[in-house]
Amino acid sequence: MSDSFNLYTFLSLFLCLLIGVFFAWLLYGKTKDLDKRLRYGLAAARAVVVTAIGFLLCFPLIRSVSYNPEKPIIVIGQDNSLSVGNITPVGFNKPLYEQQMQRLAKELSEQYEVRIYNFSDSVKTGFDFSNTGKLSNAAQLITKLNDEYLNRNVGAVILASDGIFNRGGSPLYELNKLKAPVYTIALGDTVPKRDLLIANINHNSLVYRDNDFTIEVQAQAFEAKGAESQLSVSTNGKKVYEERLSVTSDAFVKNIPVKLKAIGLGLQKYTVQLSPLQHEISEKNNIQHIFIDVIDAKQKVLIAAAGPHPDITALKQAISLQKNFEVKVALAEELNAFRPEDYGLVILYQLPSMVYDASAFINKLGAVNVAVWHILGAQSNINIFNQLQKQVRFSGSNNTLQETFSDVNAGFTAFDLDKAMAKQITGFDPLQVPFGNVVVNGNSAVVLNQRIGKIHTDYPQLFFMVDNGKKTGFLIGEGLWKWKLSEAGEAQQEPMVFNSLISKIVQYLSVKDDKRKFKVYAAKNTFDENENVLLNGVLYNDSYVSVNAPDVSITLKNDAGKAFKFLFSRTDAAYQLDAGTLPAGNYTYSATTVLGNKNYAAQGVFYVNAMVAEYQQTVANHQLLNTMSAQTGGKMYMPQDLLKLVDVIKSNDQIKTLSYEDRKYQELINFKWLFLLIMALLTMEWFFRKRNGEI
């Protein structure tokens, strides 16, 4: 209906009507030639036209108001997780409960708008009493309700659950946003049952091969005082740890440190298990699997020199501080017994030297793809050095030495040197450098530049180069021992900056770049059985530019040998596969593609972990459900009383239909019939005046 016609509107309309009558009188008041009835008719038409035009000018907008009733929304949320279906109290009739829940929804729908959801690890619409959800996330349901029904007429929320929420946190903090009472139906059993379980395992995800590491197993037991169990850890079908566990109380908790040794390489699966007790409610929570990536990061480093020097000792001590580096020192003829290919990095300390050129060893080193760090000093044979490699040419002589300090290159990014570290390096004692110029042939990454006194130069002191995938480092100067000594003397502690710098240099040079042209890898090493398995792939052409024109196929195989075949989807310049959810177990994959006339293949492994969260807690948390109801003005009901909710909700005066006022403003110019009326009246008036000779 319209509420635009108030007293002001009627007065304005009356004024427009008077003006219309006045215009009609001026035009037809003294006209005697027209028939009396025709004259009155034309005068009335003119009065209506003028009145309508005046009203259009005075009131371009007209407001209309409508009222839309909205029934209260009753939301029913049913917990569809495993714990609700597996742990039930004595006398619970599941078929009857399902029938009554459907009846509750039907009776409420006669008067209200009923929305039904089921929730576990995801939220879905409608009832689902299969209880197959691997997790219970009530917070996700409440968040969804807040998003969908914000500022809506939510009358009440009925939540049927056991109160065991193992994902998403407590829903208590989001309930008040709904501004509606929450009525809870308390499922599950609050009586503790005899049960033994692994509650949690703390462990590192990455360890080095042959190193010892510790995992911490938290064992819990209920109603099992006096019982005994056996804790065991196994990997690759072999038991690697065993310990007897005695339960000393009915509410038993114990943290058990387990020391293991990292064996094998790659992702290793460890099975932690507690032998079951008699008559315990569930044995599925007695076992858990953890996955630890075992890497062989122990790199061998060889320091080759013509003779002893304090720098060699300083280098060896700094490198040995890292457990993943093994350092050997070889002097003069000892080098002939070493194979360069057995090492990840060879440090040529002042080799070739004036007293021993080590040409046989250096020639062998040049034939293999092993990173090299050249350190030049007073004993270096500059001429032979220039002949044995083409990357750096040193023009000068080691007969004359000069002292050069170090300046950190701010543009270096291969590894991090923070401001404090850079300041410390700048203050180190100078190195002894053979007098001459350094010419670098090719691209280099400069870490330190030479500073002579207070003069900053562009001459490099420490820099790296890469030639056909082989990393090479150069340090122009000797006297590293003075760096270590000066730092230790100033701080009266371990020379952290010196040790860190040497460690970063060695790690950068010794790490091998992955130059494979076809790579396929899982988004992570382990997936839960309720999450989608994602794999990524990348393919490079001969110019090492990523391409994705060819198809990439992949075959996944589980422990039983069952194969799952997929085809990768293309992204902007790579590949991706969403394999969906997979059953728990170990999986290997083999991906293949063809680029040009070359076949490429990539293999790998990942694990899908069985989820046991729903078996970790077997005692229903009715206290939480009661708090949720009390906090929002609702009430908790037992399953046998759930039909009482129909009368409770209907008798709640706060749950009522709301009427929303909808105001609309429309321009009179949009009313086409008004223009048609004006045009019709003007046309009619013109026709009769023309016919009677008034025009």
Side-chain angles (χ1 to χ4, degrees):
M1 60 176 291
S2 172
D3 65 348
S4 298
F5 294 97
N6 49 34
L7 179 61
Y8 172 76
T9 305
F10 281 107
L11 289 176
S12 301
L13 182 60
F14 181 71
L15 180 61
C16 291
L17 181 60
L18 288 179
I19 295 173
V21 171
F22 176 71
F23 270 92
W25 177 79
L26 286 178
L27 191 58
Y28 295 104
K30 298 180 180 181
T31 303
K32 305 296 184 180
D33 300 332
L34 296 176
D35 180 74
K36 184 177 181 180
R37 288 181 297 177
L38 179 60
R39 184 156 54 95
Y40 287 155
L42 294 177
R46 176 54 64 97
V48 171
V49 168
V50 174
T51 300
I53 294 174
F55 198 70
L56 277 173
L57 294 174
C58 294
F59 296 93
L61 295 177
I62 186 169
R63 182 179 64 180
S64 62
V65 180
S66 61
Y67 296 92
N68 302 315
E70 182 183 24
K71 289 183 178 181
I73 300 172
I74 307 297
V75 178
I76 300 177
Q78 171 65 43
D79 192 339
N80 189 37
S81 61
L82 283 167
S83 62
V84 171
N86 291 341
I87 312 297
T88 57
V90 177
F92 179 72
N93 189 332
K94 191 171 188 293
L96 178 62
Y97 165 75
E98 296 175 8
Q99 180 183 354
Q100 289 182 339
M101 283 296 290
Q102 292 172 339
R103 179 181 169 187
L104 173 68
K106 182 178 180 181
E107 292 187 11
L108 289 175
S109 63
E110 295 174 357
Q111 187 173 339
Y112 308 103
E113 184 178 348
V114 178
R115 302 290 178 87
I116 303 171
Y117 297 89
N118 69 86
F119 68 95
S120 54
D121 47 354
S122 62
V123 180
K124 300 177 182 178
T125 57
F127 280 124
D128 188 345
F129 300 105
S130 61
N131 299 121
T132 56
K134 305 294 183 181
L135 298 170
S136 183
N137 191 345
Q140 186 179 17
L141 170 67
I142 302 302
T143 301
K144 182 179 179 66
L145 298 182
N146 283 327
D147 292 341
E148 293 187 359
Y149 300 110
L150 183 66
N151 298 325
R152 295 287 303 276
N153 184 20
V154 179
V157 176
I158 300 173
L159 188 68
S161 176
D162 56 5
I164 301 174
F165 306 132
N166 42 48
R167 284 296 186 277
S170 174
L172 280 172
Y173 309 107
E174 300 292 328
L175 282 176
N176 291 331
K177 294 181 181 180
L178 286 172
K179 299 179 181 179
V182 176
Y183 298 95
T184 54
I185 300 174
L187 303 176
D189 195 357
T190 57
V191 179
K193 302 291 193 302
R194 184 180 177 89
D195 194 22
L196 176 67
L197 61 107
I198 298 173
N200 188 40
I201 302 177
N202 290 321
H203 64 92
N204 292 331
S205 59
L206 182 71
V207 297
Y208 295 117
R209 186 170 70 169
D210 297 329
N211 282 6
D212 292 331
F213 66 98
T214 301
I215 65 174
E216 187 177 68
V217 181
Q218 186 181 81
Q220 290 185 5
F222 300 96
E223 305 301 317
K225 183 178 180 180
E228 288 192 348
S229 178
Q230 198 80 13
L231 172 66
S232 63
V233 181
S234 58
T235 181
N236 297 323
K238 181 182 178 182
K239 191 174 292 186
V240 294
Y241 182 86
E242 193 170 36
E243 179 182 339
R244 182 170 294 278
L245 177 67
S246 298
V247 180
T248 57
S249 62
D250 284 333
F252 175 78
V253 179
K254 185 177 181 180
N255 291 322
I256 307 168
V258 177
K259 191 172 183 179
L260 303 171
K261 188 177 183 66
I263 55 177
L265 274 177
L267 196 63
Q268 302 296 317
K269 178 182 179 181
Y270 289 83
T271 301
V272 183
Q273 187 170 9
L274 288 169
S275 59
L277 305 178
Q278 285 187 345
H279 310 300
E280 69 170 305
I281 190 171
S282 175
E283 296 182 9
K284 292 184 178 180
N285 52 18
N286 291 35
I287 184 170
Q288 280 198 39
H289 305 288
I290 61 173
F291 302 90
I292 297 177
D293 198 5
V294 180
I295 61 174
D296 187 9
K298 184 162 285 190
Q299 293 274 12
K300 290 184 176 182
V301 178
L302 177 64
I303 302 177
H309 194 282
D311 282 356
I312 297 175
T313 303
L315 285 169
K316 182 179 180 181
Q317 290 176 350
I319 299 171
S320 299
L321 289 174
Q322 301 296 322
K323 291 184 178 180
N324 52 328
F325 287 112
E326 179 183 332
V327 188
K328 292 284 186 182
V329 177
L331 304 178
E333 285 81 3
E334 296 175 357
L335 286 171
N336 296 326
F338 287 84
R339 289 159 35 95
E341 58 267 29
D342 294 338
Y343 294 85
L345 171 65
V346 175
I347 301 176
L348 295 179
Y349 185 82
Q350 301 197 55
L351 283 182
S353 170
M354 299 294 293
V355 296
Y356 182 73
D357 61 15
S359 56
F361 177 80
I362 294 177
N363 288 331
K364 289 193 294 183
L365 179 60
V368 295
N369 186 18
V370 175
V372 181
W373 184 10
H374 296 275
I375 299 179
L376 276 67
Q379 297 300 316
S380 296
N381 190 323
I382 301 299
N383 292 329
I384 298 179
F385 170 79
N386 289 334
Q387 295 172 12
L388 291 176
Q389 49 79 45
K390 305 297 182 184
Q391 294 172 296
V392 174
R393 182 170 182 81
F394 197 95
S395 60
S397 170
N398 52 3
N399 295 327
T400 305
L401 301 177
Q402 65 179 354
E403 291 186 339
T404 62
F405 294 88
S406 303
D407 270 342
V408 176
N409 177 22
F412 179 74
T413 58
F415 51 76
D416 180 50
L417 295 174
D418 57 41
K419 291 183 178 179
M421 192 173 181
K423 183 179 179 181
Q424 187 80 19
I425 293 172
T426 304
F428 279 160
D429 289 345
L431 299 180
Q432 298 291 324
V433 179
F435 185 80
N437 294 325
V438 178
V439 178
V440 180
N441 300 317
N443 296 323
S444 64
V446 179
V447 187
L448 304 175
N449 283 314
Q450 297 182 27
R451 176 168 52 87
I452 303 173
K454 295 184 178 180
I455 301 174
H456 300 273
T457 72
D458 293 330
Y459 299 133
Q461 185 182 72
L462 173 64
F463 57 98
F464 303 127
M465 301 185 72
V466 180
D467 184 19
N468 293 325
K470 181 178 180 178
K471 293 180 181 178
T472 310
F474 297 88
L475 175 64
I476 312 299
E478 64 171 282
L480 293 173
W481 64 273
K482 292 187 289 185
W483 285 9
K484 179 179 180 179
L485 191 62
S486 63
E487 184 185 0
E490 291 176 6
Q492 296 296 319
Q493 60 182 10
E494 187 70 21
M496 302 298 295
V497 173
F498 174 79
N499 291 338
S500 177
L501 176 63
I502 299 301
S503 175
K504 290 176 184 288
I505 294 171
V506 171
Q507 186 168 1
Y508 169 76
L509 289 171
S510 61
V511 170
K512 297 290 190 295
D513 293 331
D514 189 354
K515 290 295 183 179
R516 291 177 298 161
K517 290 185 177 180
F518 181 50
K519 307 172 189 176
V520 174
Y521 52 94
K524 52 185 181 179
N525 291 329
T526 60
F527 299 89
D528 290 330
E529 60 180 331
N530 70 328
E531 65 178 320
N532 288 8
V533 174
L534 299 176
L535 294 103
N536 300 294
V538 62
L539 176 65
Y540 297 100
N541 59 20
D542 291 338
S543 301
Y544 249 87
V545 176
S546 59
V547 295
N548 63 353
D551 289 336
V552 174
S553 59
I554 187 170
T555 301
L556 309 180
K557 286 186 178 181
N558 61 13
D559 291 334
K562 183 178 179 181
F564 305 86
K565 295 186 177 181
F566 299 93
L567 194 66
F568 273 85
S569 300
R570 292 175 175 85
T571 59
D572 290 340
Y575 299 90
Q576 190 175 70
L577 170 66
D578 183 349
T581 58
L582 296 173
N586 309 340
Y587 288 83
T588 58
Y589 62 83
S590 177
T592 58
T593 189
V594 179
L595 181 61
N597 58 355
K598 294 182 180 179
N599 296 321
Y600 295 94
Q603 295 80 32
V605 62
F606 64 87
Y607 296 91
V608 177
N609 202 12
M611 301 189 66
V612 296
E614 283 295 301
Y615 301 102
Q616 296 297 95
Q617 184 176 346
T618 58
V619 179
N621 192 350
H622 288 180
Q623 182 178 355
L624 175 59
L625 298 177
N626 188 59
T627 303
M628 293 170 63
S629 296
Q631 177 178 298
T632 57
K635 189 177 179 182
M636 186 179 77
Y637 291 86
M638 301 308 292
Q640 60 268 24
D641 300 323
L642 68 87
L643 289 178
K644 293 181 181 179
L645 280 168
V646 177
D647 295 330
V648 170
I649 292 175
K650 288 183 177 180
S651 61
N652 191 337
D653 295 335
Q654 300 299 317
I655 303 175
K656 55 187 176 182
T657 300
L658 297 180
S659 183
Y660 295 95
E661 183 182 84
D662 185 15
R663 296 188 179 189
K664 293 182 180 179
Y665 290 86
Q666 292 180 293
E667 295 181 347
L668 283 174
I669 197 171
N670 292 327
F671 291 92
K672 305 300 183 185
W673 62 268
L674 191 56
F675 282 91
L676 292 176
L677 174 64
I678 293 172
M679 292 302 299
L681 291 175
L682 289 175
T683 302
M684 181 190 69
E685 183 185 3
W686 175 85
F687 174 77
F688 283 107
R689 285 171 61 85
K690 180 75 174 179
R691 183 180 180 187
N692 289 276
E694 291 296 318
I695 297 178

